[in-house]
Amino acid sequence: MSEVKISAEPRTEFGKGGARRTRRAGKVPAVLYGHGEKPKHIALPAREFAAAIRKGGANQLFAIEVSDGTQVLALPKAIQRDPIKDSFEHVDLLLVRRGEKVTVEVPVQLTGDAAKDTLIVHDHDTLSVTADATKVPDHLEASIEGMEAGTQVTAADVELPSGVELAADPELAVASVTAAPTAEQLEATLPEVETADEEAEAGVGEETAEGAEGAEAGEPATAGGEESAEAKTEA
């Protein structure tokens, strides 16, 4: 992965208020740390940083030039995003040197197509590996081509580029191939729509009956009606 040059400014305001003002100015609050150095608070240009992450992924290597003359290489260690605005809230950057080995989480992409009538469960979409800080891959690949139900892809099955070593447990499940549910099984999981409709119709019927009873009970007896009843009794 090639490094991306990016400028930065020292940050003197801290806390939530300072971070908000930094973001309003179109910058991302960040911290540089590592190699026993005192943490350095900086602000990165939001657009340039976002474009680099979109292209190179979360393990993009940055060559950072701070306006105070500091020049360093760094890898993102932790990135906080705003899920609603889809913007970057804060970044922790780990200082690295050329030739230095680092352990990072790298995304795993599944390639190929499994056998017919199967489903793929991606158990772990990242894998921990150790690599040269300047040669961290942007992704790893694992093939599921032709795999039948009951097959599993482990960390040991993932293809690793030259110079990259597996840091995760080799038996870690990366993906599992299962049998796709049959039409009958899917049907059994559907709600009983007919029963619900019948209950709704019954409810409407009860409301109608109650309304009719209420109307009958609420009808006042007329004087004429009383006289007719009395006349019939006398007769």
Side-chain angles (χ1 to χ4, degrees), residues 21-107:
R21 283 187 285 275
T22 299
R23 288 190 287 270
R24 279 200 295 267
K27 300 182 184 299
V28 180
V31 177
L32 279 169
Y33 69 96
H35 293 162
E37 300 285 339
K38 182 180 178 181
K40 188 180 185 68
H41 298 267
I42 60 173
L44 301 168
R47 287 186 180 178
E48 287 87 338
F49 180 77
I53 293 297
R54 278 196 301 270
K55 183 178 180 181
N59 291 316
Q60 173 63 59
L61 179 65
F62 288 95
I64 303 174
E65 296 182 2
V66 188
S67 59
D68 62 3
T70 304
Q71 295 186 358
V72 296
L73 287 177
L75 284 169
K77 188 65 176 178
I79 299 177
Q80 297 176 22
R81 294 174 182 256
D82 185 317
I84 298 175
K85 298 178 181 178
D86 192 26
S87 58
F88 295 97
E89 294 281 284
H90 189 274
V91 184
D92 287 351
L93 294 159
L94 179 66
L95 293 170
V96 296
R97 298 188 181 99
R98 298 186 189 281
E100 178 183 4
K101 294 282 187 179
V102 294
T103 299
V104 293
E105 292 287 326
V106 178

Side-chain angles (χ1 to χ4, degrees), residues 182-231:
T182 63
E184 290 76 12
Q185 289 172 328
L186 287 174
E187 218 172 282
T189 62
L190 294 175
E192 296 181 6
V193 179
E194 292 182 2
T195 303
D197 289 343
E198 289 172 1
E199 289 177 357
E201 290 176 2
V204 172
E206 289 174 3
E207 290 177 3
T208 305
E210 289 174 1
E213 289 175 3
E216 290 177 0
E219 285 178 1
T222 60
E226 289 175 358
E227 290 176 0
S228 300
E230 290 174 2

